Amino acid sequence: MGVEKNEKIGFSWLQAAARQGESEAFYDLGGCYEEGRGSDKNMKKAEKQYKEAAERGHIEASFKLARLYSSKDEGLRNDIEAVRWAKKAAQQNNSDALALLGIMHAEGRASVAREDEAEAVKWCQVAAQQDHAIAQFKLAEMYGMGRGGLPKSETEAAKWCKKAALQRCLPAQYILGGLYSEGRGVNRNEEKAIRWCRAAAKGGHVQAQGVLGLMYLNGREGLQKNEREAKKWFEKAALQGDAIAQNNLAMIYKTGIGGLQKNKQEAKKWFKKSAQQAYPEAQFNLAELYESMGKLEKAVKLYEKLGQQGHPVAGDKLAMMYRTGKGGLPKSETEALKLYIQAAQQGHPLAQFKLATMYETGSSELQKNETEARLWYEKAAWQGHPGAQFKLAEMYEIGSGGLQKSETKARIWYEKAAQHGYPGAQAKLAENEKAKGIDKPLLH
């Protein structure tokens, strides 16, 4: 209560000083209204006080006014005024104003809604030389892309990115971690990649938190796999609203990897949050979760939505439901076939395999056609589907589906299927070698 009382007393003194025309008092009052100190937060009143101070030549107030006018959220946005006041502060070498001008030019907000990257570089270079972290990071971006008349240079990009990162610019720390991970503009260094990514993550950078979670989940960049650490970082990013992290956190709750406790309700909660942001992987995972919980109609709705967006795996799931008549859908081979064809044409190997088997056996909806079956088996086999590889090997072995008989090609495809652990493939290889009088199997 004492702090609040003191803030109100201080606010009263500032008002008295402002009545005497003191520019510093107007500036401080603007800060009070902007931050809600000693008074209710009121951005219009903050604007008025900053303007009074700026018109009296207060440099910092000119920048604050420019920043308010450049804001996208406070209902005060006015790019023309933002540039005008930023230039007044920039003329007095205010590095914040210089950086703001650079960013506004880069975004096309300072030249009648037209990007002017050369101007952006000019302002950012001046601010960067004054050690302004955001300007340094923006300059790094422009070197990285070779924009604004700058030569494309990963070395220069890394140099400026590191300068910004050392000043705790979170986006710069995150990007610098990626540069060390990939060896772009710097020598590849896993230890530094982790250090900078962790620094950004600890500072609250949401993408860094998600990436650090993946590093722990998969044991990347020299880190030992640690599902508990992965969960911790996914949770931090998920609470900030990151859709990918929300989906990853949900998967941890769904699978209980690393000995963590399974929790379908928590999994559903986080899948839903991610799915509500239109993240397709989360929508599909939520549909699968509903299916496993017996909530088939909810699963069908999501599969249908994803199928309309061209999601091939969702189309395959929906086709299976039509074939079995689950989830309130009418049993329909016709609808199932349509979905298999659509998913197969989109390149989904499982759908290609199933369509091939339908062509191979024939049905009331699809005439038997071994050549078509072989073509779809081939497409799925080249994408690594072991069942399709095994079927293609069989076709080469007997010379069906329009193929010439070839023991060599049959063996190649049997081997590929065996390497994927397909049941019977390795036994088939051993059987064929034994028939030739060779005792030991080809694969051992």
Side-chain angles (χ1 to χ4, degrees):
M1 290 298 291
V3 173
E4 184 180 344
K5 185 177 180 181
N6 287 341
E7 282 184 347
K8 287 184 177 179
I9 291 171
F11 184 78
S12 298
W13 281 107
L14 286 173
Q15 284 181 313
R19 283 194 288 271
Q20 300 300 314
E22 292 183 19
S23 62
E24 192 68 31
F26 285 117
Y27 171 71
D28 288 339
L29 277 174
C32 289
Y33 281 121
E34 185 177 3
E35 297 165 19
R37 289 185 284 108
S39 172
D40 292 335
K41 188 173 179 177
N42 188 317
M43 301 310 294
K44 291 297 290 182
K45 288 183 178 179
E47 174 201 11
K48 182 180 177 182
Q49 299 302 320
Y50 284 143
K51 198 167 188 177
E52 290 282 358
E55 286 174 344
R56 285 167 168 77
H58 195 289
I59 298 169
E60 191 64 26
S62 296
F63 165 70
K64 293 274 185 154
L65 192 57
R67 193 194 64 194
L68 279 186
Y69 284 133
S70 69
S71 169
K72 298 176 183 178
D73 306 315
E74 303 293 351
L76 295 169
R77 178 165 168 171
N78 184 328
D79 288 346
I80 294 171
E81 284 295 290
V83 170
R84 183 167 80 89
W85 287 106
K87 281 185 175 178
K88 284 183 180 293
Q91 286 163 2
Q92 301 299 317
N93 232 17
N94 181 281
S95 61
D96 289 325
L98 289 163
L100 179 60
L101 282 170
I103 290 165
M104 291 188 72
H105 277 288
E107 293 177 355
R109 294 171 54 196
S111 303
V112 197
R114 176 178 59 81
E115 285 187 18
D116 191 341
E117 292 178 343
E119 279 290 300
V121 167
K122 180 184 83 174
W123 293 110
C124 284
Q125 281 177 324
V126 177
Q129 293 292 350
Q130 294 181 28
D131 283 335
H132 193 285
I134 295 172
Q136 289 170 337
F137 178 60
K138 193 67 186 176
L139 200 54
E141 282 186 328
M142 300 191 87
Y143 268 117
M145 294 182 286
R147 296 173 67 170
L150 293 175
K152 187 172 182 178
S153 171
E154 290 185 343
T155 304
E156 282 295 307
K159 181 185 88 173
W160 287 106
C161 196
K162 188 173 182 179
K163 286 179 182 290
L166 287 167
Q167 296 195 69
R168 299 185 181 180
C169 175
L170 298 182
Q173 290 177 335
Y174 169 61
I175 295 296
L176 187 59
L179 294 177
Y180 275 116
S181 174
E182 298 169 18
R184 293 171 51 203
V186 289
N187 292 327
R188 190 173 186 278
N189 188 312
E190 288 183 348
E191 184 183 341
K192 289 182 179 179
I194 294 165
R195 186 199 310 163
W196 285 112
C197 186
R198 187 181 280 119
K202 285 183 175 179
H205 191 280
V206 66
Q207 285 89 357
Q209 291 170 341
V211 168
L212 192 58
L214 285 171
M215 285 181 181
Y216 276 114
L217 185 67
N218 301 318
R220 282 171 40 203
E221 303 293 344
L223 282 178
Q224 283 192 327
K225 285 183 76 168
N226 187 325
E227 288 85 356
R228 292 184 185 279
E229 278 294 302
K231 182 185 175 222
K232 180 182 88 173
W233 290 107
F234 287 147
E235 198 161 35
K236 287 179 182 292
L239 288 167
Q240 290 197 69
D242 185 77
I244 296 173
Q246 289 169 342
N247 178 68
N248 290 337
L249 181 61
M251 285 299 294
I252 285 178
Y253 278 118
K254 180 185 175 183
T255 58
I257 58 172
L260 296 169
Q261 190 172 359
K262 289 183 182 181
N263 188 325
K264 280 191 175 181
Q265 290 305 314
E266 280 295 302
K268 183 175 76 170
K269 179 183 88 174
W270 289 109
F271 278 142
K272 281 180 79 172
K273 285 181 181 292
S274 182
Q276 284 164 0
Q277 296 189 65
Y279 185 49
E281 190 173 337
Q283 292 173 331
F284 178 77
N285 288 334
L286 181 60
E288 279 199 319
L289 184 65
Y290 279 138
E291 192 177 353
S292 72
M293 295 168 75
K295 299 179 179 181
L296 298 181
E297 291 188 6
K298 286 187 174 183
V300 165
K301 283 182 181 177
L302 280 169
Y303 286 142
E304 284 179 332
K305 183 178 180 180
L306 286 165
Q308 288 163 4
Q309 296 168 14
H311 193 291
V313 189
D316 178 69
K317 286 277 190 178
L318 206 53
M320 282 299 295
M321 288 182 148
Y322 271 115
R323 292 190 84 176
T324 55
K326 286 183 177 179
L329 293 174
K331 196 170 181 179
S332 171
E333 284 287 333
T334 304
E335 288 301 315
L337 179 59
K338 282 180 187 176
L339 288 163
Y340 279 137
I341 291 171
Q342 181 182 327
Q345 288 173 341
Q346 289 169 351
H348 183 48
L350 180 59
Q352 291 169 342
F353 174 73
K354 288 181 178 178
L355 185 59
T357 60
M358 292 172 80
Y359 270 117
E360 188 178 18
T361 57
S363 68
S364 59
E365 300 297 329
L366 197 64
Q367 190 174 354
K368 184 175 179 177
N369 187 323
E370 286 191 346
T371 302
E372 277 294 314
R374 185 259 301 170
L375 289 169
W376 287 110
Y377 279 139
E378 281 182 331
K379 288 178 185 293
W382 281 112
Q383 292 193 73
H385 190 286
Q389 290 169 341
F390 185 81
K391 293 296 292 185
L392 192 57
E394 284 188 327
M395 287 182 149
Y396 271 116
E397 189 171 25
I398 62 175
S400 64
L403 294 173
Q404 281 190 334
K405 188 175 178 179
S406 171
E407 289 184 6
T408 302
K409 289 181 179 178
R411 186 180 66 180
I412 288 169
W413 286 110
Y414 279 136
E415 285 177 345
K416 288 182 182 292
Q419 285 162 5
H420 284 100
Y422 190 78
Q426 198 156 357
K428 187 71 177 178
L429 284 166
E431 178 189 318
N432 288 350
E433 295 303 327
K434 189 176 181 182
K436 292 178 184 178
I438 301 172
D439 290 330
K440 69 176 183 178
L442 186 65
L443 295 179
H444 54 85

